[in-house]
Each structure stands twice: as structure tokens, then as C-alpha cells.
Amino acid sequence: MNKEIIQGIRKELKNIANEEVRIIASRFFKPGEMAKVYGVKSPIVRTIGKKYLQQVRTLPKKEIFVICEELWQSSYLEESVIACMFTESMHKKFEVGDIKVFESWINNYVNNWASCDTFCNHTVGDYLMMYPEKTELLKKWAVSSNRWLRRAAAVSLIIPAKKGLFLPLIFDIANILLTDDDDLVQKGYGWMLKAACKHYEKDVFDFVMLHKSKMPRTALRYAIEKMPESLKFQAMKK
């Protein structure tokens, strides 16, 4: 059944693929991001994913992980989105050791910001809320030579941040990534700080003001995006 599911997904993606959509989608990625794209619009990809999810749900988690890994290995953006849908759908079955699998997928297969964010926002974010004792692992990711693990250290905290969780850790990760020279990592931790503003605007503002002389402007602009204009003005003032 595993092969049939994977073959079915790939056949449908290839049949619907559109060259114009592929060219437009490819423009969203910078040099150094190795995402391959079939050229299928996101709503259609999710419709295909939902269709096969009905079959996948009947399988043991271990087999679902095998399917997801094969989808990740293809390096196609659309297949990674479907793999993320499959793992996200079984978040209630996550076990503490599953983070090793998730880390290996980020380290070995994630090759663009869209796949990183889709996977980490939901699958890894859900896992961390279930097993908060494992959040310290993000500090290890934040010092990795792999840019996607470093971005993952921040974007995995987006959903928890919106729920008011893990504020001390959010600041720890932001401190570790503070002067990172990769703009995709800068955007990632800036986004994390912006998400934390929902519940802790003053704390985030104080953090930004304390570190703005070292913080790259890209990260700073993301962090303060939702703040009142008066606070933005103070933060951006040199």
C-alpha cells in the first residue's frame, strides 16, 4: 500500500503540473535553496494530500513515517507539503522519541524556507507543546551549521509563542541567533519575536531596544511589525 500511495500522489502532481505555475513558484526561492517544484498551486496540493490522508490514517505511525521520508527525499516542494500534512494529522500519536525523526528530516531533506516553516510551525510546534521538556533541543539547533536547523529553532516556536508559551526560551533562541548573517534565519527569529508580541509586547519591545545595535535590521523589522507606530519609531531610530 505504501508504494501505491506514493505513486498515486506523484502521478496526480505530475498530471496537474503547470509550467507557468512552476516558474512563478520558483521565483519565491533564492539561490542556495534547492527546492524542486512540479508547478501545482497550494490549494490543489492540499486537496490531493487530503485525499490520500484518508488511506494513510489507517496505517501504523511507523509506516506513515516511512511514506513521509520517501516524500521528503524527492526534494519536491509539493511532496514535502503533503508529508507535512500526514505528520501533522497524527500529532496526538507523537511519542517523545519522535523528535529524532523530525530532526533528521530537517537536517537531511529540508532545502527551502517554505518546507521548513510548514513542517516546523505545526508538526514540531505541536510536538514541543506535548513534550516541553524537549524544548532545550532547540538551543542545539540554533548553533548548527545547517541554516534550516537554525531557522527551525525559531519557527518551531511560532505557534507556541502565539499561545503565550515558552517566552524565556524564545529570548534564549533570539540571543543565540541575534547576529546570524543568514537573512532567512534573521527573518525566522524576527517572526518568532513578532508572534510573542501577541501576549508579551512590552517584553519583546524591551528585548529589541536592548539589542537593536547588534540586531540585523531584517530581524528587527520582522519583530516589531505588529507593534504600535510609536514603538516602531523608537525601535527603528538609530
Side-chain angles (χ1 to χ4, degrees):
M1 179 180 275
N2 293 4
K3 285 188 176 181
E4 291 175 2
I5 291 171
I6 293 166
Q7 289 171 355
I9 290 169
R10 289 176 175 164
K11 183 178 179 180
E12 291 202 36
L13 289 171
K14 288 174 183 175
N15 287 344
I16 300 172
N18 179 285
E19 180 62 11
E20 184 179 350
V21 174
R22 187 193 69 77
I23 292 171
I24 292 171
S26 297
R27 291 175 185 158
F28 287 98
F29 304 105
K30 296 182 178 182
E33 295 185 81
M34 299 176 289
K36 296 190 291 185
V37 183
Y38 282 106
V40 182
K41 292 183 178 179
S42 295
I44 299 174
V45 174
R46 296 196 70 82
T47 297
I48 293 170
K50 287 177 183 176
K51 172 184 172 182
Y52 285 91
L53 186 55
Q54 302 308 311
Q55 299 177 47
V56 167
R57 280 199 175 112
T58 65
L59 301 174
K61 186 180 69 174
K62 188 175 181 180
E63 287 188 41
I64 298 174
F65 279 1
V66 169
I67 292 171
C68 290
E69 180 136 10
E70 188 157 344
L71 292 171
W72 276 111
Q73 285 173 345
S74 76
S75 294
Y76 274 98
L77 176 63
E78 293 91 342
E79 291 190 31
S80 74
V81 169
I82 292 173
C84 291
M85 290 176 67
F86 290 172
T87 50
E88 182 186 345
S89 72
M90 56 176 179
H91 67 274
K92 292 181 180 179
K93 297 180 181 178
F94 288 166
E95 298 171 277
V96 68
D98 290 340
I99 194 63
K100 294 178 182 177
V101 176
F102 302 156
E103 181 180 37
S104 73
W105 290 350
I106 299 167
N107 196 39
N108 295 315
Y109 307 130
V110 168
N111 58 16
N112 65 86
W113 62 265
S115 294
C116 183
D117 297 356
T118 303
F119 183 60
C120 294
N121 280 182
H122 299 288
T123 295
V124 182
D126 286 345
Y127 172 90
L128 294 174
M129 287 186 287
M130 287 180 71
Y131 300 105
E133 69 273 17
K134 303 300 288 186
T135 54
E136 288 295 306
L137 180 64
L138 298 184
K139 294 180 183 179
K140 172 188 164 188
W141 293 5
V143 296
S144 171
S145 60
N146 185 326
R147 71 192 303 194
W148 304 120
L149 276 171
R150 299 202 309 280
R151 183 176 172 103
V155 299
S156 295
L157 291 170
I158 299 295
I159 303 300
K162 289 180 178 179
K163 295 177 181 290
L165 301 173
F166 306 141
L167 185 65
L169 177 65
I170 286 168
F171 288 145
D172 286 345
I173 296 298
N175 267 312
I176 295 170
L177 299 175
L178 191 67
T179 58
D180 198 293
D181 60 5
D182 189 316
D183 71 320
L184 289 171
V185 176
Q186 294 168 14
K187 290 175 181 177
Y189 89 75
W191 182 19
M192 172 187 68
L193 290 171
K194 177 173 66 175
C197 281
K198 182 175 180 180
H199 293 276
Y200 301 106
E201 182 178 85
K202 184 182 183 303
D203 299 87
V204 174
F205 177 74
D206 290 345
F207 178 90
V208 169
M209 293 301 289
L210 181 63
H211 297 288
K212 72 173 188 173
S213 62
K214 294 182 179 179
M215 186 182 292
R217 300 299 273 185
T218 297
L220 190 152
R221 283 194 296 269
Y222 267 69
I224 66 175
E225 186 178 345
K226 298 291 186 180
M227 291 184 183
E229 290 301 321
S230 60
L231 298 184
K232 286 184 184 180
F233 179 78
Q234 291 181 61
M236 292 296 290
K237 188 166 60 176
K238 292 185 178 179

